[in-house]
Amino acid sequence: AVVSTQSTGSHRDYVFLRKTKLISEPDRWCIIGRSDSSESVDTVKSVVRVEQYEQTIAFQRNESGSGTKVFMYYFDNPGGSLPTWLINWAAKTGVPQFMTTLKNACEKYGQ
């Protein structure tokens, strides 16, 4: 996936693997993503390849069975230099906005 970050002056390129894994109990599952350093995908000139990326999203049905608990771990080393305003935006707005979108999607799932 190529992520457009024109406001920072460069694009980022992600090559990653993603899998879904059921945990020992049927009401728990994870989606796991991590960067893939295989040579099978050519690099693109003027695009920064993100070499370090990890994401785990774990889902567990809550005790009452009427909802789902969600845990997310995310690590991304975008490489190069990023402006301070972008880092602040990601921490204050981008991540909370993503979590709200994820929450809304979970609430609408199955409707």
Side-chain angles (χ1 to χ4, degrees):
V2 175
V3 177
S4 176
T5 53
Q6 293 175 355
S7 58
T8 64
S10 62
H11 297 289
R12 298 294 190 262
D13 178 21
Y14 290 78
V15 178
F16 59 93
L17 302 172
R18 180 176 287 159
K19 68 179 180 177
T20 301
K21 182 177 181 179
L22 289 173
I23 308 302
S24 59
E25 298 180 33
D27 293 338
R28 296 181 185 174
W29 62 99
C30 292
I31 299 172
I32 301 167
R34 65 175 172 79
S35 52
D36 178 27
S37 59
S38 71
E39 304 284 325
S40 63
V41 179
D42 294 334
T43 57
V44 178
K45 195 174 184 174
S46 76
V47 175
V48 177
R49 171 73 43 95
V50 175
E51 301 287 340
Q52 296 175 303
Y53 160 77
E54 295 178 42
Q55 181 183 38
T56 300
I57 303 177
F59 301 88
Q60 178 181 343
R61 189 179 314 272
N62 69 11
E63 292 79 17
S64 69
S66 63
T68 303
K69 295 179 184 179
V70 179
F71 167 82
M72 185 177 98
Y73 165 79
Y74 184 89
F75 172 78
D76 183 336
N77 180 356
S81 60
L82 296 174
T84 303
W85 69 263
L86 181 59
I87 295 167
N88 291 337
W89 175 86
K92 294 177 184 175
T93 305
V95 173
Q97 192 174 61
F98 174 82
M99 294 305 290
T100 299
T101 301
L102 179 61
K103 178 182 177 283
N104 292 340
C106 288
E107 289 173 347
K108 291 179 183 176
Y109 184 78
Q111 291 182 356

